[in-house]
């Protein structure tokens, strides 16, 4: 091979190597760019999840407050119901005694 042929082959090899290096470098740049986009997207996703989690925690706190108020109201209603049932029992017993006394006095109970 003469010098011109070796020079031409050398130039072709250098050109192919430079093209390969450029292609690999371009892929690396794309990978870095995509990596940055992925990290940015991941950061946004994490922020959104943290915000949603905070909102859900606030809702849980509010629901707990409402639940406690509902239990308190239910307990008050049960107390009122128990008081009413006791009053009904007292009045029923008193009516029975009064009817018995009317009968003892010779009258007709209603």
């Amino acid at each position: 091979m003469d010098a011109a042929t070796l020079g031409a082959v050398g130039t072709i090899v250098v050109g192919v190597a430079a093209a390969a290096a450029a292609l690999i470098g371009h892929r690396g740049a794309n990978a870095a760019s995509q990596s940055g986009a992925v990290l940015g997207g991941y950061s946004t996703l994490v922020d959104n999840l943290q915000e949603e989690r905070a909102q859900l925690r606030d809702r849980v706190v509010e629901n707990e407050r409402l639940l406690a108020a509902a239990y308190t109201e239910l307990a008050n209603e049960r107390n009122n119901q128990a008081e009413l049932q006791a009053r009904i029992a007292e009045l029923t017993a008193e009516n029975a005694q009064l009817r018995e006394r009317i009968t003892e006095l010779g009258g007709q109970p209603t």
Side-chain angles (χ1 to χ4, degrees), residues 4 10 14 16 21 24 41 47 62 67 77 84 91 93 95 102 104 106:
V14 169
V16 170
I24 292 170
D47 290 344
E62 177 64 14
L67 185 60
E77 287 179 8
L84 288 173
L91 292 172
N95 279 349
I102 290 171
E104 288 174 0

Side-chain angles (χ1 to χ4, degrees), residues 10-83:
T11 303
I12 291 172
V13 170
V14 169
V16 170
L23 183 62
I24 292 170
H26 184 66
R27 285 187 182 170
N30 282 343
S33 172
Q34 289 175 353
S35 176
V38 168
L39 289 178
Y42 179 76
S43 176
T44 301
L45 177 63
V46 168
D47 290 344
N48 290 343
L49 290 174
Q50 287 175 342
E51 182 178 333
E52 184 177 355
R53 187 172 39 218
Q55 290 172 350
L56 292 175
R57 283 184 180 142
D58 291 344
R59 283 183 58 194
V60 166
V61 168
E62 177 64 14
N63 284 348
E64 290 290 338
R65 185 191 65 76
L66 293 172
L67 185 60
Y71 275 126
T72 300
E73 185 177 342
L74 180 61
N76 290 338
E77 287 179 8
R78 285 183 180 163
N79 288 338
N80 291 341
Q81 183 181 9
E83 290 171 4

